[in-house]
């Protein structure tokens, strides 16, 4: 039987079924142990150090106790600590991105995904490079600067060379004042050699959702195709890091399996990356399974309420304070509003989950991956964020300045977020307001920027940011960054 070892490179040792079972038992036994819960919450709180704050995070066992706890006043306290961590580390910035679907050809048999091989009533489509360019222009015209590319797994139709061509095309399009400055990649698990090619093509984060950490459940949900191999999939992030990719993004498809098991597995995966590579995941996504062509989420036995979903997000925030957290348009405006308060740092906006969807006037459904709950325009999303006290950010500076892996964390730990990320957010928001926003959004934005500039502690940084913002408003000069 496999023995738990976070430093092992074997999936069944670093995501160890026995360790998860014992963790869940321990969590259940202690879910009303107030002294222990208070101790864990105290450990999770940010502590002042020098000019900045440090957080130790929580182990998977500690975080699982909090997730199991259903005492309303303690759950409220979890939300409050999650919000505190979010504000101390990330400030009130929210980074925006959009997914770009390249191809829905797929040879896997995933039971939750409409792209599965046996689905014969979905139109199959793969973008040509001209079509990629047209989609990118449509995304730039909305104001997007950061994309996550998505494709099914199909070595004949979507080989790595195709993905690399698409990345080159995306980075090459400079339309009006627009540019895509960061391409994140969400494609199936692959080899070290292919990860190195993606790294050399200048990708941002490599994202791969685990779907479920429960091996038996995983094998049943992926009955056919290369994705059936649990170990190959689970060990993918180690290969990505071996291939030179510093920033990797984890995720579970919530609603398939038992959420407490998934949560423990997710935090153990983060601990494993930290133990082996010295750096945890750059982001964690929290997708929930949605209705889609040929897919009825009611068929899975793990569906979770909005309340549980929000508690999961807060507990992730407490356990891995330095990791960005992403919520997509799978979720409604209402759920996203709450999630933003308790730890989310990135959201997608105006997403279309169909291949070629951005160049269509009406939202197409024939090649769509799942129903999108939040169907607002990017302008509406930007305004909503500002009206809820957040700064929409189109910043991509960190990775372009080489601040990848654990180098971003030192900004947090040294209290430099307000002198670096904050002005970057304000400058990229100004670009958006000048080039793409509606007059109402522009007005809300300019007064927010005026107010937020006052928060920059370093006078020199404040002066430079103010001058750059003036320049953006009065000229075509763009892409300033700290
Ligand atoms: N094909 C790649 C893979 O297998 O990892 C990644 C691309 S896939 C387009 C991106 C993600 O969409 C999947 O990892 C899965 O978690 C999610 N997804 C699939 N079907 C979904 C559904 N019905 N509802 C919500 N998310 C879904």
């Amino acid at each position: 039987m496999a023995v738990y070892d976070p430093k092992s490179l074997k999936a069944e040792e670093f995501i160890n079924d026995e360790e998860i079972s014992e963790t869940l038992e321990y969590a259940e036994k202690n879910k009303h142990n107030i002294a222990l819960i208070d101790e864990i919450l105290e450990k999770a709180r940010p502590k002042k150090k020098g000019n900045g704050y440090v957080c130790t995070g929580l182990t998977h066992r500690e975080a699982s106790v909090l997730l199991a706890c259903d005492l309303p006043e303690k759950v409220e306290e979890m939300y409050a600590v999650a919000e505190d961590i979010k504000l101390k580390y990330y400030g009130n910035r929210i980074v925006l991105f959009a997914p770009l679907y390249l191809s829905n050809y797929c040879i896997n048999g995933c039971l939750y995904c409409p792209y599965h091989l046996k689905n014969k009533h979905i139109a199959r489509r793969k973008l040509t490079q001209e079509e990629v360019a047209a989609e990118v222009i449509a995304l730039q015209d909305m104001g997007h600067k950061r994309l996550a590319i998505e494709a099914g797994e199909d070595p004949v139709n979507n080989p790595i060379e195709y993905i690399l061509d698409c990345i080159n095309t995306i980075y090459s399009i400079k339309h009006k004042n627009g540019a895509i400055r960061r391409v994140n990649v969400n494609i199936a698990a692959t080899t070290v050699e292919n990860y190195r090619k993606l790294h050399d093509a200048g990708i941002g984060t490599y994202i791969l959702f685990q779907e479920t950490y429960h091996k038996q459940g995983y094998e049943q949900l992926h009955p056919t195709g290369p994705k059936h191999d649990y170990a190959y999939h689970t060990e993918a992030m180690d290969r990505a890091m071996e291939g030179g990719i510093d920033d990797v993004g984890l995720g579970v498809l919530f609603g398939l399996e038992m959420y407490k098991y998934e949560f423990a597995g997710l935090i153990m995966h983060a601990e494993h990356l930290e133990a082996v590579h010295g750096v945890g995941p750059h982001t964690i996504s929290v997708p929930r399974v949605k209705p889609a062509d040929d897919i009825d989420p009611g068929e899975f036995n793990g569906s979770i309420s909005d309340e549980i979903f929000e508690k999961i997000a807060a507990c992730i925030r407490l356990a891995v304070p330095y990791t960005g957290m992403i919520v997509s348009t799978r979720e409604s405006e209402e759920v996203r509003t709450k999630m933003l308060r308790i730890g989310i740092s990135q959201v997608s906006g105006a997403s279309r989950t169909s291949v070629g969807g951005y160049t269509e006037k009406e939202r197409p459904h024939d090649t769509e991956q799942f129903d999108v709950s939040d169907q607002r325009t990017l302008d509406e999303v930007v305004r909503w964020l500002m009206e809820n006290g957040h700064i929409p950010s189109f910043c991509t500076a960190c990775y372009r300045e080489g601040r990848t892996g654990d180098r971003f964390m030192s900004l947090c730990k040294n209290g430099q977020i307000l002198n670096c990320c904050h002005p970057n957010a304000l400058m990229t928001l100004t670009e958006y307001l000048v080039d793409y926003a509606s007059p109402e959004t522009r007005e809300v934005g300019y007064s927010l920027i005026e107010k937020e500039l006052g928060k920059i502690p370093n006078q020199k940084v404040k002066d430079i940011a103010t001058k750059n913002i003036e320049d953006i408003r009065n000229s075509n000069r763009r892409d300033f960054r700290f």
Side-chain angles (χ1 to χ4, degrees):
M1 196 201 268
V3 175
Y4 177 49
D5 177 5
K7 285 202 163 140
S8 165
L9 293 174
K10 287 200 186 121
E12 285 180 66
E13 291 176 356
F14 66 81
I15 304 293
N16 183 256
D17 182 60
E18 205 185 347
E19 171 61 22
I20 298 184
S21 300
E22 282 176 21
T23 297
L24 299 188
E25 260 172 55
Y26 173 78
E28 191 56 31
K29 216 168 78 199
N30 285 293
K31 69 179 184 183
H32 295 153
N33 180 344
I34 294 186
L36 179 65
I37 291 164
D38 284 345
E39 201 180 296
I40 297 173
L41 280 169
E42 188 48 39
K43 183 180 171 194
R45 277 179 220 284
K47 313 277 179 325
K48 185 109 184 95
K49 190 171 177 213
N51 289 331
Y53 287 91
V54 286
C55 240
T56 38
L58 299 175
T59 64
H60 61 274
R61 284 208 178 202
E62 293 164 338
S64 293
V65 171
L66 296 188
L67 186 64
C69 169
D70 53 7
L71 303 169
E73 68 284 5
K74 292 295 149 197
V75 174
E76 280 311 310
E77 227 177 302
M78 286 176 216
Y79 288 151
V81 179
E83 187 173 7
D84 193 32
I85 294 175
K86 159 83 175 34
L87 290 174
K88 295 235 161 75
Y89 281 160
Y90 291 90
N92 53 348
R93 293 165 299 115
I94 298 290
V95 169
L96 284 150
F97 75 99
L100 171 57
Y101 282 74
L102 301 176
S103 166
N104 64 359
Y105 283 96
C106 193
I107 58 169
N108 284 314
C110 315
L111 298 188
Y112 49 83
C113 180
Y115 293 174
H116 70 83
L117 181 66
K118 286 198 186 132
N119 188 357
K120 299 295 177 210
H121 37 90
I122 188 168
R124 298 288 167 172
R125 192 170 166 199
K126 165 186 169 179
L127 297 179
T128 63
Q129 294 311 307
E130 289 70 33
E131 288 169 333
V132 172
E135 289 276 295
V136 169
I137 287 172
L139 284 156
Q140 288 186 11
D141 276 340
M142 281 186 228
H144 276 295
K145 298 280 186 279
R146 177 190 290 245
L147 301 183
I149 56 173
E150 313 273 342
E153 179 165 17
D154 185 329
V156 174
N157 286 298
N158 321 327
I160 192 71
E161 290 71 26
Y162 170 71
I163 304 292
L164 296 169
D165 282 350
C166 293
I167 295 169
N168 280 333
T169 302
I170 296 167
Y171 279 135
S172 74
I173 308 288
K174 305 282 181 282
H175 167 68
K176 298 186 182 160
N177 283 336
I180 299 301
R181 300 175 182 156
R182 178 174 178 130
V183 178
N184 297 334
V185 175
N186 183 4
I187 60 164
T190 185
T191 59
V192 174
E193 194 190 345
N194 286 348
Y195 285 126
R196 193 160 290 123
K197 289 178 184 168
L198 289 171
H199 169 260
D200 294 346
I203 70 162
T205 312
Y206 171 66
I207 300 163
L208 181 69
F209 299 157
Q210 177 65 29
E211 323 300 4
T212 169
Y213 283 97
H214 189 263
K215 183 170 186 260
Q216 222 181 335
Y218 180 96
E219 286 170 352
Q220 282 162 4
L221 286 162
H222 306 96
T224 54
K227 196 164 171 176
H228 177 73
D229 187 336
Y230 175 82
Y232 190 73
H233 188 81
T234 311
E235 293 159 10
M237 294 314 192
D238 297 293
R239 292 195 300 280
M241 286 195 164
E242 199 185 329
I245 298 175
D246 272 352
D247 288 348
V248 299
L250 305 181
V252 158
L253 187 53
F254 284 102
L256 296 177
E257 288 286 332
M258 313 78 89
Y259 72 89
K260 290 178 183 166
Y261 190 102
E262 300 304 348
F263 176 82
L266 184 64
I267 304 303
M268 283 164 81
H269 201 170
E271 288 168 343
H272 160 73
L273 294 176
E274 179 94 44
V276 175
H277 307 280
V279 47
H282 185 67
T283 54
I284 289 182
S285 300
V286 287
R288 260 197 299 190
V289 70
K290 297 281 299 174
D293 181 88
D294 211 30
I295 305 297
D296 170 10
E299 281 175 21
F300 307 107
N301 50 12
S303 88
I304 48 173
S305 65
D306 291 349
E307 289 71 32
I308 297 286
F309 189 54
E310 287 156 8
K311 188 149 70 133
I312 292 171
C315 289
I316 293 174
R317 183 69 302 140
L318 300 184
V320 281
Y322 300 110
T323 299
M325 209 181 347
I326 302 177
V327 70
S328 75
T329 56
R330 288 176 182 88
E331 299 301 331
S332 65
E333 173 182 345
E334 197 189 346
V335 171
R336 298 209 310 162
T337 303
K338 174 88 194 270
M339 305 273 285
L340 283 168
R341 257 195 45 226
I342 54 179
I344 293 296
S345 56
Q346 277 190 42
V347 297
S348 46
S351 305
R352 294 207 169 171
T353 64
S354 45
V355 181
Y358 294 108
T359 39
E360 305 275 342
K361 224 179 162 128
E362 295 295 322
R363 179 181 291 276
H365 295 290
D366 58 334
T367 64
E368 197 173 47
Q369 196 193 16
F370 51 80
D371 287 349
V372 166
S373 291
D374 185 339
Q375 303 202 355
R376 291 172 296 170
T377 63
L378 188 59
D379 190 73
E380 288 166 333
V381 171
V382 166
R383 195 159 67 239
W384 159 74
L385 287 172
M386 297 192 293
E387 285 169 351
N388 279 281
H390 307 285
I391 306 173
S393 174
F394 293 87
C395 180
T396 52
C398 270
Y399 114 101
R400 293 159 81 219
E401 292 293 324
R403 292 190 293 261
T404 58
D406 58 358
R407 272 157 285 180
F408 166 73
M409 291 177 205
S410 64
L411 280 181
C412 306
K413 289 181 181 164
N414 297 325
Q416 287 308 306
I417 292 284
L418 273 175
N419 283 322
C420 186
C421 305
H422 184 74
N424 283 339
L426 298 179
M427 293 189 297
T428 55
L429 174 60
T430 309
E431 292 185 348
Y432 175 81
L433 297 174
V434 173
D435 291 334
Y436 308 103
S438 65
E440 306 82 68
T441 302
R442 200 172 288 147
E443 204 184 308
V444 178
Y446 286 154
S447 66
L448 177 91
I449 289 169
E450 182 92 24
K451 201 172 79 201
E452 292 288 336
L453 274 171
K455 292 187 186 166
I456 301 174
N458 181 309
Q459 188 59 42
K460 203 168 150 206
V461 173
K462 192 191 288 187
D463 292 344
I464 295 172
T466 307
K467 158 128 198 352
N468 291 347
I469 285 172
E470 276 307 304
D471 265 4
I472 296 165
R473 289 183 67 166
N474 298 317
S475 75
N476 278 333
R477 293 188 63 206
R478 298 289 178 270
D479 204 12
F480 297 99
R481 60 180 182 265
F482 288 97

